[in-house]
C-alpha cells in the first residue's frame, strides 16, 4: 500500500508519460559525445539544456559548472534540514554513435518502434537520468516539494574516463554533502525481473607496443632470421591465459576478495540460461575461468581482454613485410580489492619478463577505475528493495554487474557515501552499440520506482542503526 501523496505522484507521472517521452526526445537530439572534441559545442548545449530543465522544475542552486573538460550540472531541492538528503548522479554524455551505417534510424533523431525509444543515450544514460527529473517533477506538482532533500550532480565525462570529476567532488564536498547517492545507470537482471546492483567491476586499461627491427623488413630477406613483433605480441597475448582460462600475470589475483558462499548460492539461484545467453550473441557456448559459473565470470571475476591489435600491412591484397612494430589495447576488468595502478604495474613487469630479449616494450596506462561492493544493509537499500518490489510485484534480486561506474568509488572515498544502484537498462539495450534503445515500459517503471523510493527512504531513514547520521 502506498500513502495518498505517493499515489498522487505516481498517477501524475502516469498521466504525463507522453510529454515526458517528448521531452526526453528533445534531450536525446543533442549529440553529446564527450570523447570527440568536434562535439564540444553540443556538450555545452546539453549541459545548458539540463540546467534550464532543472530550473523549470523549481530546482535551486542550479549551476552549469565549467571544468577543464565538459561542464558538470548541479541543482537541488532543499526541503527541510531534518529530512535525509539524496545525491542523484547521472551522466549526460554518450558514446560515439559509430558505426553509423548499422543504425536503422539516425542515432540523434530519436525514433519509437515497438514500444522502444531508439537513440544514442536512450538507455546509457540520458534516458535513465531523466527519470529522476520526472520523478521530482511529479512530486513537486502534487505536493509542492519532494518528500526529502535532493541534490543532483550530472556529469559530462563518464564515457571517457571522468578525468575531472574526482577533483570537482573534492572541491565541492560540502555542497555535495548527503546521506546516500542514488544512480540509475545499470541494468535490471532481466525484463520484469527487478534487481539492485551491489557490485561493479573496476578497470585498468593499457596500450602496449613491441618494437623489433628498426624498420619494416622484406620477409623474404629477413624472415626466418629476425623475430617478428606481431608473432611475438600474439604469443604474449596467448600466454596471458592458461588452459583453465585463468590469468597468468604474476600476482594478478592477490587482492581479489573471493565470492562468499552466500553470494555464490544467490547467484546460482538467479534465472539465467548461460547457453541461450551465448547463443544470443552468436557463440555456441560461453567460456569461463574453470571453477566459476558464467554469471560469476561475467560479473564477479576479473578479466583480461585484448580490445584492439594492429601492426604491419592490413590493406588490400598481399604485401610481404616483417613489421617493425606491433601494438594492442588491453583492458582488465577488476574486482574489489584489486587496485588499477598496481594491476597495470603487474602486467608491465610480466611483459618485461616474458617479452623477447631483443625487443623494446612501450607501455602506457590509459585509464583506471576501482571496483566496488556497496553496503547492502541500510535504510536506503531497504527503501530501494521496497520501491522496486512495489513496482514489479516481486522482491528484487541483489546482483553484481560486470561494467564500471568509476564515480561510485570516488563518492565512497571522498564523501564517505554509499551508492544505491537502481538501474533500469537491459543487457539487450545495445548500449555503446548501433540501435541503442530504452523500453518505454522501463522508462515509466523507473520513474515510478524513484517516486516510491523517495517517500520510502524519507520514512525509513534512521530506522536501522547501521547508517544513522
Ligand atoms: N552505464 C555504463 C556501465 C554499465 C555497463 C552498466 C554495463 C551496466 C552494464 C557506463 O556508462 C559505462 O559504459 N562505463 C564504462 C566505464 C569505463 C569508461 C571506465 C565501462 O564499463 O566500460
Ligand atoms: Mn552509463
Ligand atoms: Mn556507458
Amino acid at each position: 500500500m502506498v500513502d495518498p501523496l505517493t499515489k498522487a505522484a505516481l498517477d501524475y507521472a502516469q498521466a504525463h508519460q507522453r510529454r515526458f517521452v517528448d521531452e526526453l526526445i528533445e534531450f536525446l537530439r543533442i549529440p553529446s559525445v564527450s570523447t570527440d572534441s568536434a562535439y564540444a559545442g553540443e556538450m555545452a548545449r546539453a549541459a545548458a539544456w539540463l540546467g534550464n530543465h532543472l530550473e523549470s522544475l523549481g530546482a535551486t542552486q542550479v549551476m552549469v559548472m565549467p571544468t577543464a573538460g565538459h561542464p558538470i550540472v548541479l541543482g537541488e531541492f532543499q526541503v527541510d534540514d531534518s529530512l535525509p538528503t539524496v545525491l542523484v548522479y547521472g551522466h549526460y554524455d554518450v558514446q560515439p554513435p559509430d558505426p553509423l551505417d548499422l543504425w536503422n534510424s539516425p542515432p540523434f533523431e530519436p525514433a519509437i518502434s515497438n514500444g522502444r525509444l531508439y537513440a544514442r543515450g536512450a538507455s546509457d544514460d540520458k534516458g535513465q537520468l531523466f527519470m529522476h527529473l520526472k520523478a521530482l517533477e511529479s512530486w513537486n506538482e502534487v505536493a509542492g516539494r519532494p518528500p526529502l532533500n535532493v541534490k543532483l550532480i550530472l556529469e559530462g565525462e563518464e564515457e571517457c574516463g571522468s578525468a575531472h570529476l574526482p577533483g570537482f567532488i573534492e572541491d565541492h564536498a560540502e555542497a555535495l554533502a548527503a546521506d546516500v547517492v542514488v544512480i540509475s545507470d545499470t541494468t535490471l537482471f532481466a525484463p520484469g525481473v527487478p534487481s539492485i546492483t551491489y557490485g561493479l567491476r573496476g578497470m585498468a586499461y593499457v596500450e602496449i607496443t613491441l618494437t623489433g627491427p628498426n624498420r619494416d623488413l622484406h620477409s623474404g630477406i629477413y624472415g626466418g632470421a629476425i623475430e617478428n613483433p606481431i608473432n611475438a605480441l600474439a604469443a604474449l597475448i596467448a600466454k596471458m591465459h592458461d588452459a583453465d582460462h585463468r590469468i597468468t600475470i604474476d600476482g594478478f589475483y592477490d587482492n581479489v576478495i573471493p565470492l562468499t558462499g552466500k553470494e555464490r548460492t544467490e547467484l546460482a539461484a538467479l534465472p539465467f540460461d548461460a547457453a541461450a545467453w551465448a547463443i544470443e550473441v552468436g557463440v555456441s557456448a560461453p567460456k569461463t575461468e574453470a571453477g566459476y559459473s558464467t554469471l560469476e565470470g561475467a560479473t564477479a571475476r576479473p578479466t583480461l581482454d585484448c580490445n584492439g591489435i594492429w601492426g604491419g600491412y592490413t590493406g588490400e591484397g598481399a604485401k610481404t613485410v616483417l613489421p617493425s612494430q606491433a601494438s594492442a589495447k588491453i583492458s582488465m576488468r577488476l574486482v574489489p580489492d584489486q587496485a588499477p595502478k598496481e594491476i597495470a604495474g603487474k602486467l608491465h613487469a610480466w611483459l618485461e619478463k616474458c617479452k623477447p630479449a631483443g625487443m623494446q616494450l612501450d607501455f602506457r596506462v590509459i585509464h583506471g577505475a576501482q571496483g566496488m561492493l556497496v553496503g547492502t544493509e541500510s535504510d536506503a537499500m531497504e527503501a530501494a528493495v521496497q520501491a522496486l518490489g512495489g513496482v514489479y510485484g516481486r522482491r528484487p534480486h541483489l546482483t553484481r554487474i560486470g561494467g564500471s561506474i568509476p564515480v561510485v568509488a570516488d563518492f565512497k572515498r571522498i564523501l564517505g557515501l554509499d551508492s544505491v544502484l537502481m538501474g533500469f537498462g537491459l543487457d539487450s539495450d545495445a548500449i555503446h552499440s548501433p540501435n541503442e534503445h530504452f523500453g518505454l515500459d522501463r522508462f515509466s517503471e523507473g520513474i515510478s520506482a524513484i517516486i516510491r523510493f523517495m517517500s520510502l527512504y524519507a520514512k525509513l531513514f534512521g530506522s536501522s542503526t547501521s547508517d544513522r547520521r
Side-chain angles (χ1 to χ4, degrees), residues 91 95 124 158-159 431-432:
H91 65 91
Q95 286 276 320
D124 184 14
E158 197 274 348
E159 299 291 9
I431 64 171
H432 297 204

Side-chain angles (χ1 to χ4, degrees), residues 1-348:
M1 265 312 287
V2 292
D3 61 87
L5 267 182
T6 306
K7 171 89 171 58
L10 292 168
D11 289 345
Y12 176 92
Q14 197 72 45
H16 294 83
Q17 160 89 358
R18 276 187 71 135
R19 173 173 53 80
F20 291 176
V21 173
D22 287 342
E23 291 169 353
L24 173 57
I25 286 174
E26 199 183 303
F27 185 33
L28 290 169
R29 279 188 199 284
I30 308 172
S32 48
V33 178
S34 55
T35 198
D36 184 344
S37 54
Y39 292 87
E42 302 292 352
M43 288 299 300
R45 207 152 69 82
W49 189 94
L50 270 178
N52 287 334
H53 201 84
L54 282 173
E55 268 176 351
S56 77
L57 299 180
T60 58
Q61 308 292 111
V62 176
M63 280 178 281
V64 177
M65 306 281 282
T67 71
H70 300 301
I72 292 172
V73 182
L74 300 177
E76 67 177 63
F77 296 82
Q78 177 62 31
V79 176
D80 186 329
D81 288 349
S82 69
L83 290 168
T85 301
V86 169
L87 179 61
V88 173
Y89 164 88
H91 65 91
Y92 66 88
D93 65 323
V94 302
Q95 286 276 320
D98 317 67
L100 280 173
D101 51 322
L102 294 184
W103 285 78
N104 296 327
S105 53
F108 300 110
E109 292 173 30
I112 296 175
S113 163
N114 286 326
R116 296 164 172 176
L117 178 55
Y118 286 83
R120 172 58 85 231
S123 172
D124 184 14
D125 179 43
K126 285 158 112 177
Q128 296 211 57
L129 84 80
F130 200 60
M131 300 182 311
H132 287 269
L133 305 194
K134 296 298 102 175
L136 284 162
E137 174 184 326
S138 304
W139 271 111
N140 278 346
E141 290 301 321
V142 303
R145 60 179 187 80
L148 37 55
N149 306 310
V150 178
K151 295 178 178 175
L152 299 109
I153 177 166
L154 308 173
E155 169 193 23
E157 296 185 295
E158 197 274 348
E159 299 291 9
C160 57
S162 297
H164 303 99
L165 190 59
F168 184 93
I169 296 172
E170 268 158 24
D171 292 347
H172 298 83
E174 214 162 303
L176 296 170
D179 295 289
V180 73
V181 177
V182 177
I183 303 177
S184 297
D185 191 25
T186 52
T187 43
L188 294 173
F189 186 72
V193 184
S195 58
I196 298 168
T197 300
Y198 72 91
L200 292 163
R201 286 197 288 200
M203 169 75 80
Y205 200 114
V206 307
E207 182 172 319
I208 60 179
T209 297
L210 269 189
T211 306
N214 58 11
R215 57 184 170 86
D216 287 3
L217 305 173
H218 190 294
S219 65
I221 301 174
Y222 293 95
I226 297 288
E227 198 168 7
N228 180 325
I230 299 183
N231 294 7
L233 181 62
L236 280 171
I237 290 170
K239 204 176 159 184
M240 290 175 185
H241 288 92
D242 67 14
D244 286 334
H245 211 60
R246 276 180 69 84
I247 294 152
T248 55
I249 313 306
D250 305 297
F252 185 82
Y253 294 98
D254 281 358
N255 298 315
V256 170
I257 300 176
L259 279 153
T260 64
K262 184 164 173 268
E263 282 183 291
R264 302 195 75 177
T265 309
E266 285 176 6
L267 273 176
L270 287 167
F272 183 70
D273 181 343
W277 183 77
I279 286 167
E280 203 251 323
V281 293
V283 171
S284 59
K287 171 142 177 144
T288 309
E289 178 186 354
Y292 292 92
S293 72
T294 305
L295 212 46
E296 288 170 344
T299 65
R301 294 292 297 167
T303 67
L304 183 154
D305 279 296
C306 189
N307 296 242
I309 180 163
W310 67 99
Y313 181 69
T314 56
E316 191 181 337
K319 178 193 179 196
T320 49
V321 60
L322 196 165
S324 166
Q325 290 193 323
S327 302
K329 288 185 189 281
I330 293 177
S331 68
M332 293 166 282
R333 293 277 172 181
L334 310 180
V335 299
D337 263 341
Q338 290 176 299
K341 276 204 184 107
E342 215 175 288
I343 290 290
K346 284 175 175 171
L347 175 61
H348 193 175

